[in-house]
Amino acid sequence: MDVMLDIFGSANFWAAAIRIATPLIFGVLGALICERAGVLNLGIEGIFVAGAMAGWLAVYLGAGLWGGVLVAALAGAMFGLLHAVLTVILGLSQHVSGIGITLLATSVSYFTYRTALPSVTSPPRIVPFQPVTIPGLTDIPFIGPALFSQTPLTWLAVALVALVAFVLYRTPLGLAIRAVGDNPASVEAQGLSVRGLRIGAIVAGSALMALGGAFLTMSAFDAFFFGMVNGRGWICIALVVFASWQPGKALLGALLFGAFDAFQIRLQAEIGQVVPGQVFLMLPYLLSILALVLVARKADYPRALLQPWTKGQRH
Amino acid sequence: MSLRLDPRADASIGLRLAVSFASGLVALLIVAIPVMAAGGNPFSAYLLMAQGAFGSMFALSETLNRATPLILTGLAAAIAFRARLWNIGAEGQLYMGALAAVLVGSGFLQLPPALMIPAIMIAGFLAGGLMMVVPTILKQRFGADEVVITLLLNFVVILFVQMLIEGPLKDPLAMGWPQSVPLLAEARFDKLIPRLRTHWGLLVGLLAAILLWLMVRKTVLGFEIKAVGENKAAARFAGIPVDGTMLKVALISGGLAGLAGVGEVAGVKFYLSADLSPGFGYSGIVVAMLAGLSPIGSVLAAIFIAAVFVGADSMSRATGISSYIADLVVALSLLCVLVGSFFLRFRLILDNRKAEA
Amino acid sequence: MTKPIPLLSLQNITKRFGTLTANDAISLDLHEGEILALLGENGAGKTTLMNILFGHYVQDEGIVSVLGADGTLAPLPPGSPGAALGAGIGMVHQHFTLAENLSGLDNIRLGTEALLSFGQRQAARSKIANIIAESGLEVDLDRRVDSLTVGEKQRVEILKALYRDARVLILDEPTAVLTPQEAEGLFVVLRRLAANGLGVIFISHKLGEVLAVSHRIMVLRGGRKAGELTTADADRRAIADLMVGKAVAEVKRSRGNPGAPLLSLNKVSLGKPGQHMALHDVSFALKSGEVIGLAGVSGNGQTGIAALISGLAVPDAGTMTLFDQPITRASPRDLVQRGVARMPEDRQHDGVVGTMSVADNIAMEDIRSPGLSRFGLLDRKAMRARAKAAIADYDVRCPGPDAEARLLSGGNVQKLILARVLEREPRIILANQPTRGLDIGAQSEVHRRILAARDRGAAVIVISEDLDELFTLADRFLVIHAGHVVDAGPAETLDRSTIGLLMAGQSPIRETMAS
């Protein structure tokens, strides 16, 4: 019991929870946009790696932090475009294309990193984003360090949640995206382009996914390690179902997950002698599986998700 | 004049083979670009890769050795994908199979020597099979997608194995290095050729390919698997037990991946460690797709992928170009064969008809 | 008197799909305020023509022209629903093009506002309110579409077109999903809209409706225009001949000879109220030598009845007995083996595995029987032999037993399914929408087979949205509405309007208790 109070009572815990949640917020938002439009993007794991590597490398080569963020987003958008061409234009299997993109993005990233920095004993580092202090808010005891000392990327993630929600529910574009993921025929019969909407959604979503990776190398840590993404992309795919494809719930889900992960890390520090470390490390993955299993039955899946679609025949 | 796409009535074996070969070839060709970007000469790179994969008896045996687990994980993916069961968990199933082999074959169990090898194989098959049956049941009961669950389980399994290796299964004689107690001599696969690393596991793989091929073409189960994979609703309506068939597929698929793990432990390393598999499970997916989900084709595709990895390792040592080039080839092969499948479904027609009045 | 310039003009429209000519040099004019019925059998080319008009397909030859603001006809750019909508053409598709997760209002707004803008919900709402008032198409705009009834969804579809200032409204088989009374309501709306200047094209294969509501009729047959006449001058017989061409032998049904009950449902309930499969307290029996026709608007529980008889569901309450033994668990294989033949409603989705061969599909239900396999190994020779016999016997047109089933036309797929299920001389047959989408020749074929099976002593239940088909086949009628089944009695005592009332859930006068 004291252990629990120790953990929850430390401002560091809450700060860590938000920090762990941030890449997931980007990833879940990105996956949500793709799936709302009716396309599953299993390239997310590889796009995380690509965003992490490309963003970091850009900064290392002198582009400045926000330059790195832009490069990461572009890298994600590029792989997203490839996935969109394969699945929307050529109508190929979304599962296989996604896995192919993950393998491609990962191998391209690893090869580029190794080639650019061939002989290193420990990975070179950059100066990452620093926590932003908000006058007034950051000085509040406990709450300040807990909630208001995050880096700009975290604030960007939260802002994007609001932006995506606004676009999805309050603009004609969002309406069209929600419609195309339910019944592409409804969109086509109203004179809109199913392809255009889906390609746009996938590219935008993939750019967001890449930002999740960029956060890892440019904010949470300051270097690129092989295997650093470690399944976060897949966890996002599970969390999207849990979030019912809604941006607000996506934020909530990511934060809950971040809290759980931060909790398990600190718990390990407290009782790690008794229980092997790996048990704690397993918990996030098991939790994701549990979350998915619990909500899958009642989930309001976008009806057209994974359904093959061909335009009313042209020529 | 315009270009038109017409659905193809069927695609001949010749066309399928052409697409598979072309995919591998195009992937290799595309990779010339990163090689040049890294400052290398593509032609010499290809030459070194070919030599490293096939240039000597030693090279050939290394390639076949590397192909052994890939045949099995390729078959695992092929049979699952035929039923539209997306088994992306072959990596985890492989480790579970290896774990089972160590538990049975390192001395905890007292078994007569002659039974050891069958015992570890059965244990490995069942362990891997179980690892796939569970997500399949979750899908049937709760509607939870097996793709994400099998993917996440890979991470869980590797952590589980690490935990056991650093704990109860730790080899006290390994000077602190985290690895399991070794397999007893009678639980090890013999070499096929003395002084080379190719082992009996290869024959297990070849036999599995033949059995799977027979199953798919000649048995009722193979028929039911095809129906369930191609149109689940129609299969169910016609009285085929869909859930039961999927569970059988899950057991076979996971079991084959488990056998891959058994082979690596019993034929190559003789102990279990966390780096037993450098992604054999995932590469198996590419093997299966390159083979067009064909069991016999999986053998050839596995040898190709193995050759790429072994050749790239050798080339990398000689030129300093990162061996991740092999992963690039593998990824590109998958995407190429995916695009190629498009041409198996459609044919491109140049339309010379008159313009409309 | 000079003819007024038409609102819409199609000239020499031709469309080919491979070797099939779906539309062959068809020309058509539509004037303001006119209701034109496009009549023809399934496969005559009506939907293809309208899909070209609306821009889903591109014609191979011919021009579509629309009356512009300046009073002249201008050609419509082909292949673009956006261009068609812009020119004032609206279409209500046979299978609704609605996003079920959105409200009616949102569906109507979809695509009408610039994507990169903030949208005008309020303005849209008031414009639609005006249209509703003028046209009489009442519907709740804020409910999610998946909670609306079929009739309400259709109204949203029409509102979509009217909201975009359609001057031409195309309706593709609009009454397929309505009761006779609801169809009447639709016709009232169409007449009102036409009186306001709207041009309406209304596709149907039902002669009666066409005569009731149209000003002019155009008949298509085999992709060509077979004839065009004013409704006032039209004669039923003449139109039917135009539709069908050569005389097809009418299927004559002799009196049935009902025997013992083979399959019965006793106070069966399934699912929860409101679900489309739901059934309440349903009781009826299928007797040997009798054809039962189950009439009803789609979505009233027929899926539930079909699922029960197919072995895909078991009752939540009540009992089902088959040959005097209760059925306790759902198993299609079980029912097949005990002699129940089922024809699925959606033959492409549930009936055949398209990528497997004709022989494989014919063998699929019996694959584990001793004739086709042994010790788990397939006997391909036996399978091919059986397929060859079935292909010959049932006239399944296909390149051969090894051809993939997806190459077959709808009619031949249905014949394949008939071959598969009737070969075993089943004692109970479920025929669900047996001739949907088939041309007249294939229809008679199927009807003849069903009646022949009845004459052999089988108990048959036919579920169909086509009352004509039921009157052809059924000895006795059941009518389903909102999950309740009513026994309407022997076919001889019934007429369309009585059935129509029952389909709408109202009792005809003669059913009420005499005081």
Side-chain angles (χ1 to χ4, degrees):
Chain A
M1 229 336 62
D2 304 310
V3 173
M4 305 273 274
L5 281 174
D6 270 342
I7 294 177
F8 287 120
S10 110
N12 265 327
F13 165 76
W14 297 101
I18 297 177
R19 196 173 56 240
I20 295 174
T22 302
L24 299 178
I25 297 174
F26 283 117
V28 178
L29 274 183
L32 179 157
I33 295 173
C34 294
E35 293 184 27
R36 273 280 190 170
V39 177
L40 178 67
N41 188 353
L42 290 178
I44 186 171
E45 181 81 358
I47 292 176
F48 257 72
V49 176
M53 204 288 299
W56 180 91
L57 192 61
V59 175
Y60 185 74
L61 296 176
L65 285 169
W66 288 105
V69 169
L70 190 61
V71 169
L74 283 173
M78 226 173 57
F79 285 110
L81 185 61
L82 179 58
H83 185 59
V85 167
L86 294 174
T87 56
V88 176
I89 296 186
L90 294 181
L92 300 166
S93 159
Q94 292 178 16
H95 287 111
V96 179
S97 174
I99 292 171
I101 300 274
T102 283
L103 291 175
L104 182 68
T106 308
S107 56
V108 166
S109 302
Y110 286 176
F111 181 82
T112 305
Y113 184 80
R114 240 317 148 251
T115 307
L117 300 153
S119 48
V120 280
T121 40
S122 65
R125 302 156 72 172
I126 58 167
V127 179
F129 279 103
Q130 299 302 317
V132 174
T133 47
I134 303 174
L137 288 173
T138 314
D139 301 319
I140 307 175
F142 185 77
I143 298 199
L147 300 180
F148 293 108
S149 50
Q150 299 293 334
T151 64
L153 283 182
T154 300
W155 293 111
L156 178 63
V158 174
L160 283 171
V161 171
L163 180 66
V164 170
F166 179 77
V167 171
L168 207 55
Y169 293 112
R170 293 214 177 277
T171 65
L173 175 62
L175 188 65
I177 296 218
R178 284 186 288 146
V180 85
D182 182 271
N183 185 1
S186 72
V187 157
E188 193 182 32
Q190 288 285 58
L192 295 173
S193 163
V194 172
R195 281 187 176 173
L197 284 167
R198 283 185 166 173
I199 294 175
I202 297 171
V203 169
S206 303
L208 282 178
M209 290 173 182
L211 290 183
F215 180 84
L216 291 177
T217 50
M218 293 164 59
S219 189
F221 307 102
D222 54 10
F224 177 80
F225 311 100
F226 293 100
M228 76 187 305
V229 174
N230 212 21
R232 279 181 183 76
W234 310 130
I235 290 175
C236 287
I237 298 282
L239 287 178
V240 173
V241 183
F242 186 72
S244 221
W245 297 272
Q246 294 168 20
K249 285 194 185 173
L251 179 62
L252 194 63
L255 287 172
L256 277 174
F257 191 93
F260 180 84
D261 209 6
F263 179 75
Q264 116 351 60
I265 290 175
R266 274 156 182 71
L267 194 61
Q268 182 178 354
E270 305 272 351
I271 65 174
Q273 286 75 27
V274 181
V275 182
Q278 289 90 358
V279 172
F280 295 96
L281 292 171
M282 273 189 229
L283 292 176
Y285 303 107
L286 292 172
L287 181 71
S288 304
I289 295 177
L290 185 65
L292 188 59
V293 167
L294 284 177
V295 299
R297 255 264 172 268
K298 297 171 299 165
D300 199 5
Y301 278 90
R303 263 195 329 154
L305 187 62
L306 290 171
Q307 302 299 328
W309 179 83
T310 40
K311 238 203 276 228
Q313 184 184 335
R314 297 291 204 87
H315 262 306
Chain B
M1 208 170 72
S2 60
L3 226 49
R4 197 179 78 227
L5 283 170
D6 266 351
R8 211 184 267 277
D10 68 62
S12 65
I13 293 279
L15 194 60
R16 290 177 193 279
L17 278 173
V19 166
S20 293
F21 274 110
S23 305
L25 196 63
V26 169
L28 280 171
L29 289 174
I30 294 179
V31 135
I33 300 173
V35 165
M36 288 192 287
N41 176 336
F43 294 114
S44 50
Y46 289 141
L47 202 60
L48 287 167
M49 278 177 71
Q51 281 173 342
F54 300 118
S56 64
M57 272 308 276
F58 176 74
L60 189 59
S61 83
E62 282 301 295
T63 299
L64 289 175
N65 199 27
R66 185 82 185 227
T68 303
L70 290 175
I71 294 175
L72 287 163
T73 55
L75 291 172
I79 191 70
F81 287 13
R82 271 172 179 262
R84 298 270 165 97
L85 182 66
W86 304 104
N87 179 2
I88 323 289
E91 194 77 1
Q93 290 142 27
L94 185 155
Y95 273 98
M96 286 305 276
L99 183 63
V102 166
L103 285 172
V104 168
S106 54
F108 298 116
L109 242 55
Q110 298 294 350
L111 283 175
L115 289 181
M116 260 305 188
I117 294 205
I120 61 168
M121 286 177 63
I122 293 174
F125 186 88
L126 289 176
L130 194 65
M131 271 314 282
M132 188 57 207
V133 165
V134 167
T136 306
I137 292 180
L138 287 177
K139 175 172 174 173
Q140 288 171 352
R141 283 286 174 79
F142 300 102
D145 206 39
E146 74 278 21
V147 179
V148 184
I149 294 185
T150 52
L151 272 167
L152 291 172
L153 282 177
N154 288 337
F155 293 93
V156 174
V157 167
I158 292 183
L159 285 167
F160 182 63
V161 163
Q162 276 176 341
M163 187 175 87
L164 291 181
I165 290 174
E166 290 172 15
L169 287 184
K170 189 166 180 157
D171 185 357
L173 302 171
M175 292 171 287
W177 214 252
Q179 62 190 56
S180 78
V181 287
L183 284 182
L184 302 173
E186 52 264 32
R188 302 184 184 194
F189 287 165
D190 285 332
K191 303 273 182 266
L192 282 178
I193 302 168
R195 280 177 292 133
L196 293 173
R197 292 213 297 164
T198 322
H199 57 91
W200 273 92
L202 180 63
L203 298 179
V204 171
L206 294 174
L207 184 64
I210 295 174
L211 286 176
L212 213 64
W213 177 76
L214 285 171
M215 194 255 289
V216 159
R217 299 199 78 207
K218 301 208 181 281
T219 65
V220 174
L221 179 59
F223 181 94
E224 291 178 337
I225 290 175
K226 181 166 188 183
V228 166
E230 301 282 339
N231 187 341
K232 196 187 285 195
R236 179 176 285 128
F237 192 88
I240 293 178
V242 170
D243 285 352
T245 305
M246 290 295 240
L247 287 173
K248 290 178 198 165
V249 171
L251 182 64
I252 296 173
S253 177
L256 287 168
L259 283 179
V262 172
E264 285 305 282
V265 173
V268 181
K269 290 195 129 178
F270 312 121
Y271 58 79
L272 175 61
S273 60
D275 60 358
L276 185 73
S277 164
F280 291 136
Y282 299 110
S283 304
I285 294 173
V286 183
V287 167
M289 292 297 298
L290 267 180
L293 302 187
S294 140
I296 303 294
S298 296
V299 175
L300 298 169
I303 294 175
F304 169 71
I305 300 282
V308 168
F309 276 112
V310 171
D313 271 341
S314 162
M315 188 255 322
S316 177
R317 279 193 295 270
T319 62
I321 296 176
S322 161
S323 60
Y324 281 115
I325 203 84
D327 301 82
L328 258 176
V329 174
V330 169
L332 287 167
S333 300
L334 181 61
L335 292 173
C336 286
V337 83
L338 183 63
V339 172
S341 73
F342 181 76
F343 292 105
L344 292 177
R345 273 198 287 152
F346 294 99
R347 59 160 57 103
L348 221 50
I349 295 184
L350 227 52
D351 196 349
N352 271 319
R353 282 208 284 264
K354 300 195 298 285
E356 26 258 53
Chain C
M1 185 174 80
T2 52
K3 270 176 79 173
I5 299 180
L7 200 44
L8 175 69
S9 176
L10 276 65
Q11 284 157 334
N12 290 312
I13 300 288
T14 300
K15 177 70 181 169
R16 295 177 203 98
F17 295 109
T19 50
L20 171 71
T21 306
N23 291 144
D24 193 351
I26 300 181
S27 297
L28 174 161
D29 283 343
L30 181 71
H31 296 87
E32 270 185 41
E34 181 176 41
I35 300 181
L36 169 69
L38 200 56
L39 187 61
E41 281 306 313
N42 285 309
K46 319 181 290 296
T47 302
T48 305
L49 189 65
M50 292 301 103
N51 276 333
I52 290 172
L53 176 54
F54 191 66
H56 285 308
Y57 292 170
V58 177
Q59 63 272 34
D60 293 320
E61 286 162 34
I63 299 184
V64 176
S65 315
V66 184
L67 189 66
D70 58 354
T72 60
L73 285 174
L76 185 66
S80 164
L85 287 165
I89 301 176
M91 182 159 177
V92 176
H93 301 73
Q94 189 175 5
H95 302 287
F96 299 144
T97 54
L98 296 171
E100 305 262 323
N101 59 338
L102 303 177
S103 68
L105 174 62
D106 283 337
N107 267 286
I108 296 171
R109 286 172 60 211
L110 180 64
T112 62
E113 298 153 356
L115 284 181
L116 295 175
S117 72
F118 291 110
Q120 305 132 322
R121 233 153 176 260
Q122 272 314 107
R125 193 187 285 276
S126 46
K127 179 173 176 186
I128 298 174
N130 287 336
I131 298 174
I132 290 179
E134 254 188 52
S135 63
L137 291 160
E138 289 290 336
V139 73
D140 183 346
L141 292 175
D142 292 308
R143 277 172 57 196
R144 256 173 75 127
V145 164
D146 60 8
S147 67
L148 297 176
T149 67
V150 168
E152 287 171 328
K153 287 184 195 178
Q154 192 179 66
R155 275 176 240 152
V156 173
E157 284 276 71
I158 300 176
L159 286 170
K160 258 167 64 177
L162 298 177
Y163 180 74
R164 297 187 82 137
D165 302 319
R167 295 175 298 149
V168 174
L169 184 64
I170 308 167
L171 298 115
D172 191 349
E173 305 273 5
T175 60
V177 293
L178 302 176
T179 64
Q181 285 79 7
E182 278 178 324
E184 257 313 307
L186 174 66
F187 298 154
V188 167
V189 169
L190 291 179
R191 286 190 202 103
R192 196 192 298 196
L193 292 172
N196 282 337
L198 197 69
V200 176
I201 302 181
F202 158 47
I203 297 177
S204 181
H205 66 278
K206 299 182 190 172
L207 196 39
E209 294 179 348
V210 158
L211 287 171
V213 74
S214 64
H215 299 122
R216 218 166 27 107
I217 301 174
M218 180 181 299
V219 182
L220 293 188
R221 189 177 80 232
R224 292 201 181 83
K225 180 161 45 171
E228 195 173 342
L229 3 77
T230 1
T231 310
D233 303 330
D235 163 53
R236 254 186 182 261
R237 182 83 289 170
I239 300 178
D241 284 343
L242 280 176
M243 276 173 69
V244 166
K246 59 187 187 315
V248 175
E250 258 207 22
V251 181
K252 285 271 171 260
R253 175 171 58 87
S254 55
R255 292 210 64 157
N257 214 352
L262 299 181
L263 173 73
S264 21
L265 272 68
N266 208 333
K267 294 195 187 303
V268 163
S269 294
L270 184 67
K272 292 189 282 270
Q275 291 175 330
H276 75 101
M277 264 179 72
L279 298 171
H280 310 285
D281 240 22
V282 169
S283 304
F284 63 84
L286 300 181
K287 301 194 184 103
S288 116
E290 180 181 56
V291 175
I292 299 257
L294 181 63
V297 176
S298 80
N300 274 281
Q302 292 92 325
T303 334
I305 304 260
L308 287 171
I309 300 179
S310 302
L312 294 169
V314 273
D316 292 324
T319 53
M320 256 172 78
T321 37
L322 176 65
F323 308 130
D324 298 323
Q325 282 185 317
I327 300 178
T328 44
R329 59 187 184 94
S331 163
R333 174 176 285 180
D334 219 21
L335 290 176
V336 167
Q337 282 174 340
R338 287 159 84 179
V340 179
R342 309 105 65 236
M343 296 170 63
E345 174 180 356
D346 185 342
R347 65 189 83 97
Q348 290 297 347
H349 188 262
D350 300 308
V352 287
V353 179
T355 44
M356 290 176 83
S357 70
V358 170
D360 284 348
N361 274 287
I362 291 179
M364 198 169 291
E365 284 186 351
D366 306 307
I367 199 67
R368 285 191 181 262
S369 70
L372 298 171
S373 69
R374 229 171 327 170
F375 306 118
L377 294 172
L378 299 170
D379 184 351
R380 289 222 176 255
K381 246 172 69 173
M383 283 167 67
R384 289 190 98 236
R386 190 210 217 205
K388 285 206 178 119
I391 289 172
D393 203 8
Y394 286 81
D395 190 29
V396 180
R397 308 266 169 88
C398 59
D402 295 322
E404 288 190 6
R406 65 192 169 91
L407 299 173
L408 272 56
S409 69
N412 286 302
V413 168
Q414 195 67 312
K415 288 190 232 170
L416 188 162
I417 293 175
L418 273 175
R420 171 164 96 194
V421 302
L422 294 183
E423 274 298 278
R424 269 178 278 107
E425 311 239 319
R427 303 185 59 201
I428 298 173
I429 300 175
L430 164 69
N432 198 342
Q433 315 297 341
T435 58
R436 180 187 274 166
L438 300 189
D439 64 70
I440 198 90
Q443 280 182 39
S444 313
E445 190 56 43
V446 172
H447 289 171
R448 219 166 331 114
R449 292 275 178 190
I450 291 176
L451 289 174
R454 179 204 71 171
D455 293 335
R456 262 191 296 103
V460 182
I461 175 167
V462 178
I463 305 178
S464 180
E465 289 162 359
D466 188 339
L467 281 182
D468 289 329
E469 175 169 55
L470 291 177
F471 275 107
T472 308
L473 293 173
D475 297 315
R476 185 173 199 91
F477 269 76
L478 296 174
V479 184
I480 191 165
H481 171 79
H484 295 273
V485 169
V486 165
D487 186 341
E492 292 78 41
T493 63
L494 298 167
D495 62 10
R496 292 178 72 97
S497 76
T498 317
I499 301 280
L501 285 168
L502 289 170
M503 281 162 73
Q506 292 149 9
S507 347
I509 301 182
R510 67 188 176 86
E511 294 277 272
T512 56
M513 296 280 285
S515 51

